[in-house]
Amino acid sequence: MHIHKKLVSLLTLSLVLLNTTACSQRIGALNDTLKLAFIGDQDVKLSAQQVNDIPYASIYAQIGDMSQVFIVLVFAEPKVSLTQVPTTLSTELKWLSADKGMIVTVNGRLVRTHNNPTGDLVAVESTEPDPIMLGLQLASTPKTWTRIIDWQPGYHFGYKATSHFNLVGQENILINDIPTQALHYSEIVLVDDLNIQYQNEFWLTPETGNVIKSRQKIAPNLPFIDISLLKPFAS
């Protein structure tokens, strides 16, 4: 990325952070924010201490064979889906990189992207709660899920995707350089209208079911994105 583009990204991110009131995290320390935006280039690997010293929730993300990037949380917004039951309340976390790319997650589930160079997930809607939200580790949680997905480029709207979840096992993974016990679940996704099947992967904390690492396909004909939670959002 050229220096001019970096400066534009720094200014853009600082303006977003200065003007938002939606995120319940305290937005301050402009100098720290600018440093974060500069870090958020490519080929990034921070030490555990560097991550912990940064006053914002953060993740690593890697799309396909592109370089890994460091991304910070800029919005945390309560959201109720129009197609879900009124009691289904979730928090959308919006993560912004230095080049103005954004991914939106709900408890680790990718629900939207913006400015992704390969294409964007536009919407995910369902009349059923996502088992990821309910806690896959619970015996009472359904292990199937159906939703409607939209994505671009192209006119890809209203495609039904059906998921089947399976426990792979308990694994020890590295999160922010710290060995962490996790439950590994696979999600087989079927998109019948396109005759496409693919497999997402989720690693959860055994006690809470929170997603700490995942590998998810952005959309049926778009690449996978790998996400690792470095510093969680504190609501």
Side-chain angles (χ1 to χ4, degrees), residues 6-230:
K6 285 182 179 179
L7 291 176
V8 171
S9 298
L10 298 180
L11 180 58
T12 300
L13 182 54
S14 64
L15 289 175
V16 169
L17 293 175
L18 284 173
N19 285 284
T20 180
T21 58
C23 181
S24 62
Q25 283 188 313
R26 184 175 59 189
I27 302 299
L30 178 58
N31 288 337
D32 288 341
T33 302
L34 294 178
K35 290 177 185 177
L36 287 181
F38 193 83
I39 289 172
D41 196 357
Q42 294 183 344
D43 298 316
V44 177
K45 179 67 171 69
L46 278 67
S47 69
Q49 188 61 51
Q50 285 176 307
V51 171
N52 292 334
D53 287 345
I54 292 169
Y56 306 105
S58 58
I59 59 174
Y60 284 139
Q62 182 175 12
I63 297 174
D65 58 1
M66 299 172 65
S67 298
Q68 175 177 273
V69 295
F70 176 80
I71 304 180
V72 296
L73 179 69
V74 292
F75 293 98
E77 300 177 329
K79 179 178 176 58
V80 177
S81 172
L82 296 177
T83 59
Q84 289 183 344
V85 292
T87 56
T88 303
L89 180 65
S90 58
T91 300
E92 286 192 342
L93 301 184
K94 298 181 178 180
W95 310 87
L96 186 68
S97 66
D99 59 0
K100 296 182 285 185
M102 179 179 284
I103 64 175
V104 184
T105 62
V106 176
N107 192 29
R109 165 76 68 183
L110 185 70
V111 295
R112 284 196 311 282
T113 67
H114 300 283
N115 292 325
N116 176 10
T118 63
D120 284 311
L121 177 63
V122 176
V124 177
E125 293 292 345
S126 179
T127 58
E128 309 165 359
D130 184 349
I132 295 283
M133 282 289 300
L134 298 177
L136 277 175
Q137 82 283 9
L138 301 176
S140 58
T141 298
K143 298 304 186 286
T144 61
W145 184 47
T146 300
R147 73 277 198 188
I148 301 298
I149 56 176
D150 306 333
W151 71 95
Q152 295 175 334
Y155 191 79
H156 301 293
F157 295 95
Y159 281 88
K160 184 172 109 173
T162 303
S163 291
H164 300 270
F165 296 89
N166 298 289
L167 175 63
V168 177
Q170 185 161 315
E171 298 177 1
N172 194 36
I173 62 175
L174 281 178
I175 297 293
N176 195 20
D177 291 334
I178 299 172
T180 304
Q181 286 294 314
L183 295 176
H184 179 189
Y185 280 86
S186 66
E187 178 190 24
I188 306 299
V189 183
L190 304 172
V191 185
D192 288 334
D193 288 347
L194 298 177
N195 194 28
I196 287 178
Q197 175 178 309
Y198 54 90
Q199 183 169 310
N200 294 331
E201 309 285 344
F202 295 91
W203 287 263
L204 324 174
T205 54
E207 299 79 16
T208 65
N210 291 334
V211 176
I212 53 178
K213 181 179 178 181
S214 67
R215 176 176 173 80
Q216 304 176 58
K217 202 161 181 62
I218 297 173
N221 59 354
L222 295 179
F224 283 92
I225 180 169
D226 293 279
I227 301 173
S228 294
L229 180 64
L230 299 175

